[in-house]
Amino acid sequence: MTVPATHALETSLPKGDLAARAARVAAIAAQYAEDVDRQGRFPRETVDALKAEQLLGIQIPAELGGENAGFAAIAEICTTLGQACASSAMIFAMHHIKCSSLVEHAQDNAWQRSFMARVADAQLLLGSATTEGGIGGNLRNSICAIEIDGDTCRLEKDATVISYGSEADAILITSRAHKDAAPSDQVMTVFLKGQYSLEKTVDWDTLGMRGTRSDGFLFKGEAPAVQILPKPFADIAAQSMLAASHILWSGVWYGIAVDAVVRAQSFVRAAARKSQNTAQMGQMPPGALHLAQAANLLQLVRSNVVAALHAYEEAKNDGDKLSSFGFSVTMNNVKIASSETIIDIINQAMLICGIMGYKNGTPYSLGRHLRDAHSARLMISNDRILANTSTMLLVHKLDTHLLG
């Protein structure tokens, strides 16, 4: 991955202090994180706080009431929230992945711009329905097809997962473009709450990320046909969703790992203070070596995400570059590296904290972190991503430069 030596990522925003707003939300998320995980419930308190701080509309263009926030600023918030409550952070990330589909592909579409203004003004929470029974987790294929009847469109979809579907204010959902379309000839449609019904088919009872409440539903919707996004989903997926997903998810995962290492560091410091009053005075605590290893891995994840942000900034105004094999390989590698490495980091932290990390309810508990982290390799299976990358590498020339 090429990283320019002099290229600053834009994280400052014109409205208020974004870091302070995110920190206030994170404090609320941390307060309820254990209960959200234990009960497997939607983190209503966090989402209410996100809306109160107007963080759901920050990606929307300023002329439509938003704050022009880029992926760097949003990923930073994902990391802040990830240190408090991974489910809350993932909901925030998924919402902004959906926002990117609107922002990056509006093409001066009147309805889409009006809807973006509504997202910013009313702080609407956007859900995602890209998976479907029978496609094996491949979001680039659909079985269901949108039906267009004059100015109206209708869709029925067996959506095995809809991100926080019951709580969303609108759902962006994929389907074939028409009944005769190939499985990969897809469109994305926005359905507002009140324009669809959800019949629950699968309960979200999972190992981790329990608060995202991504239940499965039989989705039935009817809306004005103008709510079908004008760009093919293939372009949306390649030119915005790929980067948004892998970068923002990685921001969440990095946040989980940061909090695990912070807890491990606190444990080692406490052990060091205790040793000052014993015969072991002056000796390094047993976990200190593992702490150094965890910190090293944590820096690798951070560098990986920052490099991905630079790569996206370089490519974001060039549709051909965004759709290129080289860019896809870069983003795929970000996801693979981040999702695999955070598990190693949290395992190191667990070794440091020992039984106090293994037990629930201690200041050093890491069970929730580890369970949440194991979702990372499954969100678009790493095996599927590696298979796609291996195909592209047959024709793509690797970048052999360090700085470009």
Side-chain angles (χ1 to χ4, degrees), residues 260-269 271 285-295 344-358 364 366:
V261 174
V262 167
R263 293 184 183 213
Q265 183 182 40
S266 296
F267 185 89
V268 171
R269 285 175 170 170
L289 179 61
H290 288 298
L291 180 62
Q293 292 171 328
D344 292 337
I345 293 170
I346 298 168
N347 280 332
Q348 292 282 0
M350 185 75 77
L351 289 173
I352 295 166
C353 298
I355 193 65
M356 297 301 288
Y358 189 70
Y364 311 108
L366 292 167

Side-chain angles (χ1 to χ4, degrees), residues 24 35 111 152 203 207 278 281 288 313 321 331 371 400:
R24 287 192 291 268
D35 185 65
W111 184 88
T152 300
D203 185 56
L207 185 69
T278 69
M281 184 175 179
E313 288 295 321
K321 186 175 288 188
M331 292 299 124
R371 288 185 288 104
T400 58

Side-chain angles (χ1 to χ4, degrees), residues 1 19 22 61 94 105 144 151 200 228 243 252 267 310 354 361 366 395:
M1 186 183 301
M94 292 296 295
H105 307 285
C144 66
D151 294 333
K200 189 173 175 179
I228 302 172
V252 173
F267 185 89
H310 281 296
L366 292 167
V395 295

